[in-house]
Amino acid sequence: HVQLVESGGGSVQAGGSLRLSCAFSGYTYSGHCMGWFRQAPGKEREGVATVGAYLGNTYYADSVKGRFTISRDNAKNTLYLQMDSLKPEDTAMYYCAAYPSSIYRSASTCFTLPYNYWGQGTQVTVS
């Protein structure tokens, strides 16, 4: 049974930084696409960043490119999202998600897949 638990959200001033963490269990980590998604009030959920299955390359939404960094620690079974130069428009609930894959998938492909495992979310507020 796959479980994802996010942490690290909070309130920060514009220009500040936060690091989100996603602890995962229940599957072979490297064999899944993993990503961060966010949903602001009144808006649809959108992709933020993904890590490819097996090879671990990364892909970012244009809105966060150059400011956010996705990474993973295989030894700790944890996915991270380092968020720098935060803007008020980054305010949202942030979710970690996983998509099982038995084959290699690039991070850009992972960005478009219908993820079926989700964490409970962590709130990020930028003022």
Side-chain angles (χ1 to χ4, degrees):
H1 178 63
V2 177
Q3 288 189 314
L4 304 167
V5 179
E6 303 98 333
S7 61
S11 296
V12 65
Q13 291 187 338
S17 298
L18 284 173
R19 188 176 79 158
L20 306 184
S21 299
C22 173
F24 54 89
S25 61
Y27 64 94
T28 302
Y29 173 65
S30 63
H32 285 59
C33 292
M34 292 201 73
W36 288 97
F37 298 78
R38 66 187 182 186
Q39 187 167 20
K43 296 186 177 180
E44 292 187 353
R45 187 169 58 201
E46 63 176 358
V48 176
T50 51
V51 177
Y54 294 102
L55 292 189
N57 61 327
T58 58
Y59 184 86
Y60 298 90
D62 287 343
S63 59
V64 306
K65 202 172 296 182
R67 300 187 298 120
F68 291 11
T69 303
I70 188 171
S71 64
R72 62 188 183 190
D73 186 328
N74 290 343
K76 295 182 178 180
N77 282 359
T78 303
L79 181 74
Y80 300 101
L81 184 68
Q82 176 66 41
M83 305 185 295
D84 299 317
S85 302
L86 282 160
K87 303 175 181 180
E89 50 263 44
D90 295 318
T91 294
M93 185 71 79
Y94 283 71
Y95 298 91
C96 171
Y99 181 91
S101 179
S102 60
I103 61 173
Y104 163 76
R105 297 182 189 270
S106 70
S108 57
T109 298
C110 292
F111 203 81
T112 64
L113 296 174
Y115 284 69
N116 44 3
Y117 295 108
W118 295 86
Q120 82 288 352
T122 186
Q123 178 69 37
V124 172
T125 303
V126 185
S127 59

